[in-house]
Structures are given as C-alpha cells and as structure tokens.
Amino acid sequence: MSTPTLLVLDAEPLPRLGRLTGRARIEHTDASSLAERLPHADVLLVWDFTSHAVREAWPGGGPRPRWVHTASAGVDHLMCPELADSETVVTNARGVFDQPIAEYVAALVLAMAKDLPTTLRLQGERTWRHRESTRVAGTRACVVGSGPIGRAIARTLKALGITTALVGRTARTGVHGPDELDRLLARADWVVAAAPLTDDTRGMFDARRFGVMQPSARFVNVGRGQLVVEDDLAEALHRRWIAGAALDVLSREPLAPESPLWRVPDLIISPHMSGDTVGWRDELGAQFVELFESWAAGRPLANVVDKKRGYVPGH
C-alpha cells in the first residue's frame, strides 16, 4: 500500500500527529479549500468539529476519502445524504468525553440543588442571606440517551444517591424505551438530555414535554442543542412549569449577546464545555492515531458510526 494521504480539517491548536510521520502524507485544509482537496485524500480527520464544511463540500464530484473521523461524539455536523449513502466509513470520538461530561452534569445538579448561583450573586453583592437547599440523595433522575455518555451520567448520579432511569432508542435490560419517557419525566426531579441528534430526537424537548415535568424539576442538556425547542424552554421557565435548567449546548453557537436566553430566569448557560477537561485535545489526537494504526494495518475500526442512525450502535 502506498503512503496514504491524511487530510485534516484544521482548528487551533492543531492535533499532535507526530507518530504518523513517514506513515501518512499529512495535509491541512480549511473550509474554503476542503471541496477541492477531498478527491485527493484517503482519510479525512475532522479536527474542526464545529464546522459544517464537510456537509457542504461532500456532495461535489470526484473520489472521496475511504474513512472520515470526527474528533467529537456527535456526527450531525458532517452528515449529508451523499455521505450517508457512500461506502466511506465514519468514526467518532466515543469514549473521550464520557466521564468529564458525567462530572459536569453532577456539578450542575449539585449547583442547582444547593443554589450556588444565588450564593455567588449574593457574595458579589456582599449580602448575607441564609437559605435552605435541596438534598439530592433520594431524588429521581431521568437520563435520555443510553450511549456511553448517558451511562456514565447515570453511574455518577447514582453515586450521589439519586435513583436514575436511563432511556434509550429501544428497551432492553437496564434501559427504558421511548414509550416510557413521559411517565419517567413526570416523576423525575432531574431530567438530563444526552441523546444524539437524529430525526427522532430533534426538538423532542418541547412545550408538551416540559409540561409533563414536575414544577420542582430541573432540566439539563449536554447532548445537542437541537434536542430542545429553546423558546418552549424559556416559556416553561418564565411560567414556572419547571424550577430550573442548564444548557451546555445551544441550537446556535456561540450564543449571540442579544439572545433573550441570557435573561431567562433560573437558566444556567455554559459555552459547550462539559466534556473539555485539561488535556482533552491530546486525548482526541491519541485516539485518532490509534485508529489510524488499526486502519493502516487492515484491522477493524472501533467507534464506527451507523450513518443512517447517526451514532455508534450496540449500546
């Protein structure tokens, strides 16, 4: 086999690919030149996983890479019908973000239960105001999304003494099916969205679903922004249908300064950072190098995405 060409859709800082020196012809591109360079690549590394450039460039003419890897858990930013219908293998960064996101969700749950946002605000105002907080042990959580991230969230919440139900695409041992979701939402103190974005999950958290939840419930989204109808969430919080929410992912990122979401009461907004711990980029780079070594040796690839479903099956 001749030396394969690895094309990297760049984002700063660049991935560390030194282990592939002499084993791959590494070329770099940005969105503006991706379309013209795709036909000459054997492998595409989507390092800029916030870009929609692949989805826009892929339908053009000429050969296409045999393998595409995205340095993210979600693949909706790159999938298009032409890629889904092709023979190109798509892999993702499954496994890198599971525990960091689970820890972040636990932090949000504790922050809302203990009313830390108010504590910090009052401290800034030099105001001493005693309050009571909520005990999380003994409460109930519903985690929507039964992949590795959802399972890590469930394990971490259970360690806090929270009774946790996991909801997936299909019912199986330890996982509830979608037909049970409304029943579980009606009983949950904490609802966590960690599902992939598919035709079935887009907009699944809307006015009806927020209406099903308890007035004391709190909602957290660490999945994809488009899982939530954000106007409906804002109305639910304004009307006190639910007690609070936290969004780490938004339908449009970055969230514009003029967005009314910034002013919604009892809403915590963070800039898509739940999985980004110190050293996470190095982990992503090392994961890709290991996958590349398997691919070059003709071994089966891990983390292969079902392009029709939009996620790695088998969990």
Side-chain angles (χ1 to χ4, degrees):
M1 178 178 176
S2 60
T3 303
T5 297
L6 165 61
L7 183 62
V8 182
L9 180 60
D10 284 343
E12 293 292 340
L14 297 177
R16 297 183 179 182
L17 302 175
R19 279 170 52 187
L20 300 184
T21 301
R23 304 162 67 185
R25 185 183 301 106
I26 301 174
E27 300 180 357
H28 296 266
T29 187
D30 59 16
S32 65
S33 59
L34 178 62
E36 65 183 79
R37 304 186 74 169
L38 273 179
H40 310 289
D42 297 295
V43 180
L44 174 64
L45 168 58
V46 185
W47 191 247
D48 184 359
F49 52 80
T50 66
S51 171
H52 292 156
V54 176
R55 192 164 63 195
E56 296 164 1
W58 195 271
R64 288 294 180 261
R66 291 172 283 158
W67 169 35
V68 173
H69 176 79
T70 179
S72 61
V75 299
D76 52 280
H77 59 290
L78 57 84
M79 293 305 298
C80 61
E82 292 81 1
L83 175 53
D85 293 338
S86 73
E87 296 182 357
T88 297
V89 175
V90 175
T91 57
N92 71 356
R94 178 188 182 195
V96 172
F97 300 107
D98 306 354
Q99 191 56 35
I101 291 178
E103 292 173 5
Y104 199 88
V105 169
L108 288 171
V109 166
L110 289 171
M112 288 188 280
K114 306 308 177 185
D115 198 21
L116 292 184
T118 301
T119 297
L120 295 173
R121 177 176 59 79
L122 293 175
Q123 179 179 346
E125 298 171 359
R126 302 184 184 183
T127 299
W128 182 280
R129 184 185 304 165
H130 180 269
R131 302 172 331 279
E132 295 179 343
S133 64
T134 301
R135 179 184 295 184
V136 299
T139 60
R140 296 176 181 270
C142 176
V143 179
V144 182
S146 60
I149 292 173
R151 295 200 302 270
I153 292 170
R155 287 194 303 270
T156 303
L157 295 183
K158 287 177 181 177
L160 295 175
I162 300 174
T163 301
T164 305
L166 197 59
V167 179
R169 184 173 180 269
T170 57
R172 55 197 182 278
T173 303
V175 178
H176 298 270
D179 57 327
E180 297 184 75
L181 178 57
D182 285 355
R183 177 182 66 82
L184 294 169
L185 291 180
R187 304 173 61 193
D189 301 289
W190 311 98
V191 176
V192 182
L197 181 63
T198 67
D199 290 340
D200 292 332
T201 62
R202 188 182 303 274
M204 67 183 300
F205 290 100
D206 56 7
R208 189 188 71 79
R209 285 264 162 72
F210 292 124
V212 168
M213 297 179 196
Q214 303 181 78
S216 59
R218 293 178 171 92
F219 173 76
V220 176
N221 186 15
V222 290
R224 306 299 289 173
Q226 294 86 347
L227 299 178
V228 179
V229 180
E230 291 168 351
D231 288 346
D232 290 359
L233 173 61
E235 183 177 10
L237 290 168
H238 279 296
R239 292 175 177 264
R240 305 298 300 169
W241 293 350
I242 61 174
L247 299 177
D248 184 57
V249 288
L250 286 300
S251 59
R252 292 188 178 182
E253 299 178 2
L255 185 63
E258 63 272 15
S259 171
L261 284 175
W262 292 112
R263 299 185 296 277
V264 173
D266 300 304
L267 175 60
I268 298 172
I269 294 174
S270 55
H272 204 148
M273 58 181 285
S274 60
D276 302 349
T277 53
V278 175
W280 65 286
R281 290 184 178 88
D282 289 341
E283 288 186 55
L284 289 173
Q287 180 189 54
F288 172 74
V289 169
E290 291 180 6
L291 287 170
F292 186 93
E293 290 172 342
S294 292
W295 177 81
R299 298 192 297 269
L301 282 169
N303 294 5
V304 174
V305 172
D306 183 319
K307 294 184 290 182
K308 300 296 186 181
R309 296 182 181 180
Y311 56 87
V312 178
H315 49 52

